[in-house]
Each structure stands twice: as structure tokens, then as C-alpha cells.
């Protein structure tokens, strides 16, 4: 589960970075903008998943 979240985080992070640097959301149509928005949502979701899981696992060890 962690590996899948990490892969999603890396891929969607790269897409978000490309959008910030080069403005790729302005190049495509409405479907392309939707894909960028979904990528941002997946990035935030996977980052939150990793942070919450890491916090829970560190509390169990104490």
C-alpha cells in the first residue's frame, strides 16, 4: 500500500510541477484541465495517506 501511494505521489507530483513551471493546463482543452485537477487531488490524497500512516506507525512503537 505504501509503495502504491509513493508511486502515485511521485507521478502526480511531477505532473503538478510541470503544470506550475510550464503551464500545461493552458495548452489543452477541458479534458486536459480535468486530468490536471485529478492529478492534484491524487497528489494531496497520497501525501495525506503517507503522513497519517507514518504518524500512526510511529505512535504504536512508543
Amino acid at each position: 500500500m505504501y509503495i502504491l501511494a509513493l508511486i502515485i505521489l511521485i507521478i502526480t507530483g511531477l505532473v503538478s510541477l510541470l503544470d506550475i513551471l510550464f503551464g500545461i493546463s493552458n495548452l489543452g482543452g477541458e479534458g486536459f484541465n480535468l486530468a490536471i485537477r485529478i492529478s492534484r487531488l491524487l497528489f494531496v490524497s497520497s501525501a495525506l495517506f503517507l503522513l497519517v500512516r507514518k504518524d500512526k506507525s510511529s505512535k504504536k512503537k512508543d
Side-chain angles (χ1 to χ4, degrees):
M1 197 70 164
Y2 289 114
I3 294 173
L4 180 63
L6 187 63
I7 291 170
I8 291 172
L9 183 73
I10 291 170
I11 292 172
T12 56
L14 289 174
V15 170
S16 297
L17 184 66
L18 287 173
D19 182 39
I20 290 168
L21 292 177
F22 301 114
I24 58 174
S25 62
N26 298 332
L27 300 175
E30 195 64 33
F32 199 68
N33 288 336
L34 180 63
I36 297 291
R37 289 183 191 147
I38 290 172
S39 174
R40 289 179 186 162
L41 177 68
L42 285 172
F43 178 76
V44 172
S45 300
S46 61
L48 284 175
F49 173 78
L50 288 174
L51 289 174
V52 168
R53 289 292 183 174
K54 183 178 180 185
D55 188 41
K56 284 184 180 178
S57 65
S58 66
K59 285 182 181 179
K60 287 181 182 178
K61 291 180 181 176
D62 291 339

